[in-house]
Amino acid sequence: MFCPYLPTHPLFEVYVGMPLKGVGTWEEAVERADPKKKKSGGFQSLGLDKPLLDGVLKMGYSVPTPIQRKGIPPMMQGNDMVAMARTGSGKTAAFAIPMIHMLKEHSKVVGIRGLIFSPTRELALQILRNIRQLARFTNLTSAPIVGGNSLVQP
């Protein structure tokens, strides 16, 4: 589980030392990444599937932001994460990339396999646009489900 939209703080923070499912501490999860791969610093070093990597690069991303660099490897191992970062720091990609990587492709047998909650309709639609751009070279499908009043004013 990743909760990307906690109240933001001017400095990036990760709850270090928090026990993680299946790995131990946060530091142990980050250390499990191949040291040779970590040195390159790009998304290529994260071991993403080719269609997802193509989507990431097509969006213009070349080097992960701090929240992406520290968050993506543990989440790709199936761990939960709680993090805070300022607006524009790449939080959406930080949780969407591991989610898309783990889902890999559309399943005709199983219905909904991923769910993202958002506090506002506008944020839900922004997340949807980012997910669709990242997953454009996969066959994953996505849809928004929003409540409240109609977007169209009579």
Side-chain angles (χ1 to χ4, degrees):
M1 178 178 89
F2 179 76
C3 184
Y5 299 102
L6 294 171
T8 58
H9 186 276
L11 300 173
F12 168 72
E13 291 185 27
V14 173
Y15 293 90
V16 178
M18 175 186 280
L20 298 174
K21 174 183 71 178
V23 176
T25 66
W26 186 265
E27 294 87 353
E28 291 168 350
V30 173
E31 285 299 315
R32 285 188 184 239
D34 186 354
K36 291 181 183 177
K37 290 182 178 180
K38 283 171 47 173
K39 289 181 183 176
S40 73
F43 282 97
Q44 296 85 346
S45 68
L46 296 175
L48 304 176
D49 293 329
K50 174 99 171 84
L52 176 56
L53 181 60
D54 290 345
V56 169
L57 297 176
K58 182 77 172 174
M59 286 185 71
Y61 295 139
S62 56
V63 178
T65 64
I67 193 166
Q68 294 164 349
R69 190 171 44 255
K70 290 188 177 210
I72 291 174
M75 284 190 286
M76 285 178 55
Q77 295 172 8
N79 293 298
D80 296 343
M81 179 176 146
V82 176
M84 293 187 303
R86 61 178 24 181
T87 302
S89 62
K91 293 182 295 289
T92 301
F95 72 83
I97 289 171
M99 184 178 198
I100 294 167
H101 177 78
M102 293 176 86
L103 295 175
K104 296 197 188 311
E105 60 184 45
H106 179 70
S107 172
K108 294 181 181 178
V109 179
V110 181
I112 297 171
R113 297 187 302 148
L115 188 62
I116 300 168
F117 287 96
S118 169
T120 66
R121 174 180 311 202
E122 293 77 15
L123 186 55
L125 295 175
Q126 177 184 331
I127 292 169
L128 176 68
R129 280 191 301 274
N130 286 329
I131 296 269
R132 285 185 174 166
Q133 288 178 340
L134 287 167
R136 76 173 77 183
F137 298 111
T138 71
N139 67 351
L140 290 172
T141 58
S142 54
I145 301 172
V146 296
N149 296 330
S150 173
L151 282 172
V152 179
Q153 296 297 326

